[in-house]
Amino acid sequence: MVLEFPLTVAALALFGIADPNLYRTKLWQNGADQGFNSSPIMILYAFANYKPIAVPLVWSSFMTTWNVIISVLSMFILLVKSVMWVMHIFIPLVSLVVHGTLIALYAIAIRNQSAPDLLDPDHPAKGLPWYLSKGCSYATQANKGYCMQARASFGVTCVMLALWSIYFLLSLYSLIPTTAERTSREADIELRKLGAYTPDEPEMSREAQRDANRQLFLNLPKTPTTPWGRSADNPMTPRTVAFTQLNGGSNGNASGRVGLGADLGARAGPRGGLPFREQWNGA
């Protein structure tokens, strides 16, 4: 894009300066004076006599307008393409379509600028226009600058067409996956198959999957690890420890609670009765 930006700006400037008819008719008349092509006066004679006549494509306003349109479109595509490239979404397939379209547009532009002039049978121009085939040495002093601009416009158009062709070939080559890309793609497909595989319910509906997930959540342990516990599986809370100590470590087992929490509660309290409680119970 570093090369594409100045070329696009140059094309936009050259084609915009030439529009609508800065030097097209002047170069046409200059070539007619040298006997290289037809004369624009023939168009006036035909219109005056109400005769149908077609302006040669190389001297027509369609050529100038077409160049302006494709230059503006190229700048717009460059801006959009830059944003897509930064966002990593300018994939090779999109690049192939975009640059294929630009190749067709610029090929037509080159055809317009190099079209023959066969309007005058006495002075036919079957090849390139005179300012491209013979140079600017035949241009008048007033038209030398215009001749250079016309040649520069044709040169920029050819370079842009070559650039689009390189982009097109590069996009076409990028569509072919490499061995590493194929291996990575196959690995992704295998992981998706493993993730979608359910041996118990191969055709489980969405509601059934939601119920299964809910049951899985309800079966999780309800008491997390506490910082005051002696082990990771200790379900004791501070309140349970306090009541166990007040009961002398016997009520927890006497009430029928069996397990790790009851054993830990029994070991947490004193092994004998509390002196204060025994004194008042005896009274």
Side-chain angles (χ1 to χ4, degrees):
M1 295 183 185
V2 175
L3 180 62
E4 180 181 350
F5 178 74
L7 289 174
T8 305
V9 173
L12 187 62
L14 290 172
F15 296 153
I17 291 173
D19 184 67
N21 187 13
L22 178 63
Y23 53 78
R24 187 180 67 249
T25 303
K26 295 178 181 179
L27 295 180
W28 188 4
Q29 183 62 53
N30 195 152
D33 296 338
Q34 299 291 337
F36 297 145
N37 49 250
S38 62
S39 174
I41 300 178
M42 298 180 62
I43 306 297
L44 298 179
Y45 288 158
F47 287 162
N49 296 321
Y50 299 99
K51 293 182 179 180
I53 190 171
V55 179
L57 186 59
V58 68
W59 309 119
S60 65
S61 60
F62 173 79
M63 184 265 293
T64 308
T65 305
W66 181 270
N67 293 340
V68 174
I69 291 175
I70 64 173
S71 62
V72 174
L73 181 62
S74 299
M75 179 59 70
F76 174 75
I77 291 177
L78 175 61
L79 296 176
V80 176
K81 184 169 59 175
S82 302
V83 175
M84 296 179 66
W85 181 79
V86 171
M87 298 178 65
H88 301 284
I89 57 176
F90 193 60
I91 59 177
L93 183 59
V94 176
S95 176
L96 189 71
V97 174
V98 170
H99 294 120
T101 304
L102 289 173
I103 287 175
L105 296 177
Y106 274 81
I108 295 175
I110 291 178
R111 173 60 180 171
N112 295 340
Q113 297 180 50
S114 60
D117 179 9
L118 304 177
L119 183 62
D120 189 354
D122 297 331
H123 302 90
K126 299 181 180 180
L128 297 173
W130 67 269
Y131 56 85
L132 294 179
S133 60
K134 297 177 174 58
C136 296
S137 58
Y138 293 94
T140 60
Q141 191 64 30
N143 293 334
K144 281 190 178 295
Y146 297 146
C147 178
M148 296 297 294
Q149 290 185 30
R151 290 172 63 88
S153 300
F154 184 77
V156 169
T157 307
C158 294
V159 173
M160 294 289 283
L161 179 61
L163 185 64
W164 303 141
S165 301
I166 294 174
Y167 285 171
F168 183 83
L169 295 176
L170 182 61
S171 303
L172 188 63
Y173 175 77
S174 300
L175 285 176
I176 304 174
T178 61
T179 304
E181 291 173 344
R182 290 177 180 176
T183 304
S184 177
R185 179 60 177 170
E186 291 175 357
D188 293 340
I189 294 175
E190 292 297 330
L191 288 177
R192 289 183 181 179
K193 289 181 179 179
L194 291 176
Y197 177 69
T198 53
D200 295 333
E201 295 291 339
E203 297 182 357
M204 184 179 295
S205 62
R206 181 174 298 180
E207 293 295 332
Q209 184 67 34
R210 187 181 295 111
D211 294 338
N213 294 336
R214 187 182 298 111
Q215 293 297 328
L216 180 63
F217 175 77
L218 294 176
N219 292 333
L220 294 175
K222 297 179 177 58
T223 305
T225 302
T226 55
W228 52 81
R230 295 186 178 180
S231 70
D233 298 330
N234 185 16
M236 301 294 291
T237 62
R239 186 173 181 181
T240 306
V241 174
F243 278 105
T244 303
Q245 292 178 353
L246 290 177
N247 291 332
S250 60
N251 291 343
N253 292 334
S255 61
R257 291 181 301 175
V258 180
L260 178 60
D263 295 339
L264 290 174
R267 290 197 299 268
R271 297 186 180 278
L274 294 175
F276 181 80
R277 178 176 292 181
E278 291 178 353
Q279 178 182 356
W280 287 98
N281 285 341

